[in-house]
Amino acid sequence: MDVGTQLPVRTLPTRAVVTGHTGFIGGHLAARLANNGVDVVGFSKSTGGDLLHDEIPMDGVGHVFHLAALSYVPDSWNDPAAFHLVNTHGTTRVLEKCRRAGVSMTFVSTFVYAADAPMPVSEAALPAPANPYAFSKLAAEDACRFYARTFDMDITILRLFNTYGPGQSGPFLVPTIARQAVDPAVSEISAANLAPRRDFVHVDDVVDALVASARLPGGGAYNVGSGTSHSVGDVIAACLNAAGTAKPVRDRGEVRPNEVMDIVADISALTAATGWQPRIGFEAGIRSVIDSLV
């Protein structure tokens, strides 16, 4: 795609499905859509929705944002088949519902590029997933491309880099570090490895990109990141600074299988297509996480 060409846009639908609407990103997206007057139909495992067996309500729906997935990379090494089943076959079932209803779709993917891809990495780089989670997402992307090509469907793929922000929980890096920074009972910050660098993009910027994607005619895959990278050590320093405290840092020296040591997104394609730009800087974003915990 010519990154200098802005694509035509559609208006937001009056009714939209958000799969994974109770998750971290899905919750922020559902709230934003509702604030914009969109009637949100939620579908999530936590509210009884099963991607592999249940039907998604599609009456009056104008667009589907498909975020529901198994997503924690370390867990994907323990059960690659489960990740493939939910993330690939589950996505194919959503695509089929969209095909039958004549509805456009945004599919949320991830970093699917090679560990040694030159940075910043653009969408033109050849895919080479470094873990089972990314493999399952790339297979789901292939399903999206097949449906778009074969059935003339409007499907947009967003490849999210490391999303963070208020409300993120579980074992992900930023909330793990942030909780240690604000907890007075924690005497030191412990991290598996201080060296890896990631492109951290704030959840509000990701939601901006998702909303923008619903206005596209479909057919493209776009990176969603900040365009810069920060190390685990940078995250710790920013969390401690935002929390106004000082704690010693322990590097456990652990290395994950096929660890990618530096990731930076080339975000020019989505900017050119929609005018989207990340608005929230790294330090301000980390501060928003710390503020949500105190």
Side-chain angles (χ1 to χ4, degrees):
M1 185 185 73
D2 180 356
V3 297
T5 302
Q6 187 156 347
L7 298 177
V9 297
R10 300 177 297 201
T11 59
L12 277 176
T14 58
R15 195 166 200 243
V17 168
V18 178
T19 72
H21 75 292
T22 60
F24 167 50
I25 301 173
H28 281 269
L29 173 62
R32 175 78 65 81
L33 291 172
N35 287 339
N36 288 346
V38 178
D39 180 18
V40 177
V41 180
F43 184 91
S44 290
K45 182 178 180 180
S46 65
T47 56
D50 186 337
L51 278 178
L52 300 179
H53 300 100
D54 293 339
E55 297 298 320
I56 299 173
M58 298 291 283
D59 291 345
V61 168
H63 190 79
V64 171
F65 296 91
H66 180 38
L67 286 77
L70 297 179
S71 61
Y72 187 50
V73 170
D75 286 348
S76 74
W77 289 103
N78 297 327
D79 197 347
F83 272 69
H84 190 273
L85 183 63
V86 172
N87 295 352
T88 307
H89 180 62
T91 296
T92 303
R93 292 192 77 242
V94 176
L95 285 164
E96 181 62 12
K97 290 294 294 185
C98 290
R99 180 184 75 84
R100 292 178 181 274
V103 171
S104 56
M105 184 175 115
T106 297
F107 172 64
V108 173
S109 188
T110 190
F111 182 92
V112 296
Y113 307 106
D116 60 353
M119 299 293 158
V121 63
S122 78
E123 297 85 352
L126 292 176
N131 55 69
Y133 167 62
F135 167 69
S136 71
K137 283 292 193 173
L138 181 60
E141 283 192 17
D142 286 340
C144 290
R145 283 184 281 270
F146 175 82
Y147 268 75
R149 180 179 65 251
T150 305
F151 302 114
D152 193 28
M153 293 173 60
D154 284 347
I155 302 167
T156 298
I157 297 167
L158 296 186
R159 293 172 174 167
L160 307 189
F161 283 57
N162 285 68
T163 308
Y164 74 100
Q168 188 177 32
S169 60
F172 294 96
L173 176 68
V174 171
T176 297
I177 298 300
R179 287 193 298 268
Q180 294 181 69
V182 302
D183 187 347
V186 175
S187 61
E188 69 174 11
I189 306 293
S190 176
N193 190 333
L194 298 182
R197 302 180 65 87
R198 294 291 181 266
D199 187 324
F200 294 100
V201 57
H202 195 272
V203 65
D204 288 349
D205 289 329
V206 169
V207 169
D208 287 346
L210 284 160
V211 171
S213 76
R215 298 188 173 107
L216 288 173
Y222 302 93
N223 291 337
V224 180
S226 69
T228 60
S229 71
H230 292 85
S231 70
V232 175
D234 293 337
V235 173
I236 294 172
C239 285
L240 290 173
N241 182 62
T245 188
K247 297 183 180 184
V249 177
R250 180 166 65 92
D251 183 347
R252 301 196 301 272
E254 300 171 9
V255 179
R256 295 194 305 192
N258 296 334
E259 181 75 88
V260 183
M261 295 308 295
D262 193 10
I263 293 175
V264 183
D266 180 343
I267 56 176
S268 58
L270 185 60
T271 298
T274 67
W276 171 86
Q277 292 258 8
R279 299 178 290 108
I280 300 175
F282 178 70
E283 288 77 14
I286 292 293
R287 190 174 302 111
S288 74
V289 175
I290 294 295
D291 289 346
S292 72
L293 296 176
V294 296

